[in-house]
Amino acid sequence: MKITLDPYMFRALPIDEMVRTVAELGYEYIELSPREDFMPFFLHPRADDERVAELKSSLRTHGVKLSSVLPLYKWSSPDETERQAAVRYWKRMIEITADLGCPLMNSEFNGRPDRAAESEAAFWRSLEELLPLFEREGIALNLEAHPDDFCEENTPAVDLVRAINRPWVNYLYCAPHSFHLSGADPQADIAAMIRYAGDKLQHVHIADSFNHKGSSGLRYILNPPGTTARIHQHLDIGQGEVDWDAFFGTLRELNFDGVATACVFAWEERARESSSFMLDRIGKELAG
């Protein structure tokens, strides 16, 4: 199993300083997430050959490896121009990932929940173009359901991943999304959701979150009334309401041996302390 850090809270650091910081914290792996100078959110990658070489050199120098690369593009957009642009961005990022020698990418379904059927059709069109490139480069793909995507609940997301019908396309369970993944259920049966993913579960994102459905849906009050906005957090373990006994216990029961990413985003002012705490806790729960 690989315990890895999403270094998003360190994204303002130059590439070499970011990698050095991750190594100093004790992580062996980085999950490369969006940063403006390399792979921005929803835009064409900015990394040229020189910047890719800089990252490769930094990884070698500091003894850290890439576990995975996490781009976010609108590949399921019902707007065809937007979808085609996203496919172009994916193609370049697949090329960069191959050059980095990284064997895994992961991402979200994207699209719009209010246009779910159109978004899913766009998703399949994008996959038709991209799956051969993943296969040619030998890069695996893990997909996660995200709040406000066209597919944002656990069971349909796992079924959709299975429908892709490739052994190297698998599922990512994101713990801070648990209360969205469970749908209308006011509780999140994390053990049942993880077991449903079964052998397709190859990646977990680890951070805490509050149950927005708690207190009869009044845990958070959003305005205007009836807004469709989604809310969740990425907190240190123990700061929210995720059932960690169920989460880690079920992973141990299934002999989980994939990628476990610490992905706390809430504490940039104490990013080092948070990242160190998460490594220690995840290691105690899952190592060995």
Side-chain angles (χ1 to χ4, degrees), residues 52-278:
V52 170
E54 178 188 2
L55 177 55
K56 291 169 71 174
S57 176
S58 293
L59 292 167
R60 286 193 301 269
T61 297
H62 300 294
V64 181
K65 300 176 183 178
L66 288 181
S67 65
S68 41
V69 174
L70 193 171
L72 293 173
Y73 303 126
K74 297 182 180 181
W75 59 340
S76 300
S77 173
D79 180 288
E80 180 60 13
T81 299
E82 198 168 55
R83 187 199 70 80
Q84 289 180 11
V87 168
R88 288 195 293 273
Y89 307 161
W90 261 111
K91 288 178 178 179
R92 174 57 181 148
M93 204 59 226
I94 292 170
E95 181 180 40
I96 290 171
T97 301
D99 194 8
L100 289 168
C102 182
L104 175 64
M105 300 180 81
N106 58 280
S107 195
E108 301 164 3
F109 290 116
N110 205 258
R112 300 295 313 133
D114 55 327
R115 301 177 66 181
E118 294 171 84
S119 295
E120 180 173 336
F123 174 70
W124 286 110
R125 285 198 298 276
S126 295
L127 285 182
E128 286 175 4
E129 296 183 59
L130 294 172
L131 287 178
L133 300 183
F134 282 104
E135 198 152 24
R136 184 186 72 195
E137 299 294 350
I139 296 173
L141 175 65
N142 292 332
L143 295 171
E144 64 171 300
H146 194 282
D148 207 43
D149 280 3
F150 80 85
C151 185
E152 52 186 338
E153 296 181 15
N154 186 78
T155 296
V158 172
D159 290 346
L160 186 54
V161 167
R162 289 191 181 279
I164 297 170
N165 202 31
R166 298 290 197 283
W168 45 270
V169 178
N170 289 291
Y171 184 60
L172 186 160
Y173 184 94
C174 187
H177 300 166
S178 292
F179 302 107
H180 291 277
L181 292 170
S182 61
D185 189 338
Q187 300 299 320
D189 190 340
I190 290 174
M193 289 191 288
I194 290 176
R195 290 189 190 110
Y196 188 81
D199 62 349
K200 296 304 287 184
L201 181 67
Q202 294 296 319
H203 204 137
V204 291
H205 279 173
I206 303 178
D208 215 336
S209 187
F210 289 106
N211 183 358
H212 64 283
K213 294 175 287 190
S215 194
S216 301
L218 296 175
R219 178 82 81 238
Y220 297 96
I221 297 173
L222 299 176
N223 289 308
T227 179
T228 59
R230 274 66 162 169
I231 187 168
H232 70 285
Q233 300 78 35
H234 283 247
L235 306 167
D236 289 355
I237 291 172
Q239 293 181 330
E241 297 173 296
V242 171
D243 185 344
W244 293 107
D245 288 341
F247 179 82
F248 286 120
T250 308
L251 292 180
R252 290 192 296 266
E253 171 193 314
L254 296 177
N255 296 313
F256 176 76
D257 193 31
V259 179
T261 303
C263 59
V264 174
F265 306 141
W267 306 116
E268 291 184 1
E269 66 277 14
R270 48 179 292 275
R272 291 183 68 104
E273 294 85 348
S274 171
S275 301
S276 179
F277 165 79
M278 292 293 288

Side-chain angles (χ1 to χ4, degrees), residues 9-41:
M9 291 196 291
F10 300 107
R11 68 194 179 280
L13 298 177
I15 287 174
D16 185 70
E17 190 175 345
M18 178 271 287
V19 175
R20 176 176 57 79
T21 298
V22 173
E24 289 174 351
L25 288 167
Y27 286 86
E28 296 181 43
Y29 295 95
I30 289 173
E31 178 164 291
L32 185 65
S33 59
R35 49 181 289 149
E36 290 299 312
D37 62 353
F38 202 94
M39 181 180 64
F41 282 104

